[in-house]
Amino acid sequence: MTGHDPVLLEAVVDGLAPLPGEHLLDLTIGRGGHALRILEATAPGGRLIGVDRDPAAHAMCRTSLPADRTELVHGNFGDLPTLRQSIGSGTWDLVLADLGVSSPQLDDGERGFSFRFDGPLDMRMDPTRGETAAQLIAMITEESLVTLIKELGEDRHARKIAAAIIRARAEEPIETTGRLAAVIRNAVPVTGSSKLDAATRTFQALRIAVNRELEALQHLLDRIGSLLSPGGRLAIISFHSLEDRKVKECFRTLSSEGDHLLLTTRPIRATDSEVRHNPRSRSARLRIIRRLEEPA
Ligand SMILES: C[S@@+](CC[C@H](N)C(=O)[O-])C[C@H]1O[C@@H](n2cnc3c(N)ncnc32)[C@H](O)[C@@H]1O
């Protein structure tokens, strides 16, 4: 299995400024890279609850994170009332959400996230529930598909791509990443100037839709104040302008209400050297907020 380089790791640790004994709720534990560094700083007493909707994420965390200070939970931060049944009703000193998919998810062809491998067109972060990308494509109307590719993929060829997908599915159901990528590449004119594969934006849009990523984030943001202890810090890393806009608005509202302080007036971005080392960090934006001990 391949690894996952935690993005903006130093900025997350500097910004959250974890102290010995503080407790961390990592809502997207992934391979536990951020959590491990934070646990080092909160030793010996600081505990971690590591949530992920992908059960595969927990297997590696079980070997890499200190078992006596860690509890791993299968759950979705987009359904906090259900998640609370596992994580309890408490508050945390440190809360982290590093959104989107992990490199191990992208690099496993059987998960269907990437057009770099031919595999089943699945794309569910939680393979135990919900509709796959193949099922979504089989049922969606052409107009809804245009909107999905335009809004979640920001692809100016949305209309052409949607029409080609609808034509192709009439011939035969689209059930693999390879076939979907080929349909998209055939539909989009090759300009030579773009470095992006023609399928990139549509794959991103489908992944966001299949996992209801924006709905999950909004649900979390609407309830985020209830997770932080007085003095607690919350960091969110987003990878899409639609996500970042939601985080920015939520943090602005919380700070204008007087009981939270914005620690990042502008989002923190990866340095050129991090982007060269880890291209996934190119679109990452980190925002951090602190709950005040005493409301202003
Ligand atoms: C970018 S990775 C996190 C990487 C992690 N910070 C690390 O250092 O390894 C995002 C993870 O969040 C999980 N995830 C995404 N949306 C989620 C949600 N709504 N609820 C729970 N987990 C989610 C994904 O399954 C994935 O494992």
Side-chain angles (χ1 to χ4, degrees):
M1 190 176 281
T2 48
H4 176 94
D5 283 336
V7 301
L8 295 168
L9 180 59
E10 299 309 324
V12 167
V13 176
D14 286 352
L16 284 177
L19 297 169
E22 288 193 320
H23 302 310
L24 166 66
L25 173 65
D26 187 336
L27 291 163
T28 55
I29 189 77
R31 272 15 184 191
H34 288 104
L36 182 60
R37 270 292 294 278
I38 295 168
L39 277 175
E40 283 164 12
T42 61
R47 296 189 56 82
L48 159 71
I49 294 187
V51 177
D52 206 295
R53 67 197 291 189
D54 183 355
H58 295 141
M60 185 174 275
C61 289
R62 269 189 208 103
T63 56
S64 62
L65 298 174
D68 56 335
R69 297 169 56 207
T70 300
E71 183 186 339
L72 297 172
V73 170
H74 179 219
N76 181 351
F77 64 66
D79 179 4
L80 222 44
T82 303
L83 189 59
R84 281 280 195 192
Q85 292 169 18
S86 311
I87 66 175
S89 58
T91 58
W92 285 265
D93 307 301
L94 306 160
V95 179
L96 173 65
D98 175 16
L99 304 173
V101 274
S102 64
S103 304
Q105 287 168 327
L106 283 171
D107 293 342
D108 180 351
E110 289 303 305
R111 302 295 300 269
F113 286 108
S114 174
F115 50 79
R116 288 181 290 126
F117 314 96
D118 192 17
L121 190 56
D122 190 320
M123 294 198 188
R124 289 170 301 167
M125 291 184 202
D126 182 351
T128 67
R129 67 197 73 199
E131 177 179 78
T132 65
Q135 287 166 333
L136 186 153
I137 281 186
M139 300 299 294
I140 196 167
T141 64
E142 184 165 343
E143 268 319 297
S144 300
L145 187 55
V146 173
T147 307
L148 187 152
I149 299 171
K150 207 184 270 176
E151 289 183 0
L152 303 182
E154 296 172 318
D155 195 320
R156 62 195 171 92
H157 299 298
R159 201 158 281 286
K160 271 190 194 137
I161 294 171
I165 291 174
I166 300 294
R167 273 196 309 276
R169 86 172 179 199
E171 286 164 20
E172 194 187 339
I174 302 175
E175 287 176 339
T176 64
T177 50
R179 174 136 188 268
L180 178 62
V183 169
I184 299 168
R185 288 176 189 137
N186 283 334
V188 175
V190 181
T191 59
S193 63
S194 173
K195 286 187 193 143
L196 271 191
D197 189 291
T200 304
R201 293 174 185 278
T202 302
F203 269 66
Q204 171 187 286
L206 284 168
R207 190 205 82 212
I208 294 174
V210 162
N211 294 290
R212 303 179 61 82
E213 291 177 35
L214 295 178
E215 293 88 338
L217 177 60
Q218 191 60 57
H219 174 95
L220 173 68
L221 293 173
D222 289 344
R223 292 155 184 82
I224 201 81
S226 70
L227 293 174
L228 274 184
S229 304
R233 285 83 71 204
L234 158 73
I236 301 187
I237 305 172
S238 61
F239 291 86
H240 192 288
S241 55
L242 291 172
E243 289 173 343
D244 183 55
R245 204 171 306 148
K246 285 182 186 296
V247 177
K248 180 170 144 189
E249 272 170 26
C250 167
F251 282 16
R252 278 220 179 122
T253 306
L254 286 173
S255 66
S256 70
E257 287 168 355
D259 45 6
H260 291 77
L261 182 69
L262 266 183
L263 298 184
T264 48
T265 42
R266 293 170 155 273
I268 298 175
R269 309 288 305 260
T271 59
D272 290 346
S273 108
E274 177 169 0
V275 172
R276 269 196 306 280
H277 174 72
N278 181 9
R280 209 182 147 265
S281 66
R282 184 180 298 113
S283 49
R285 296 177 184 90
L286 167 66
R287 293 183 187 269
I288 308 177
I289 199 164
R290 178 157 67 86
R291 183 173 163 196
L292 299 174
E293 278 86 1
E294 297 287 336

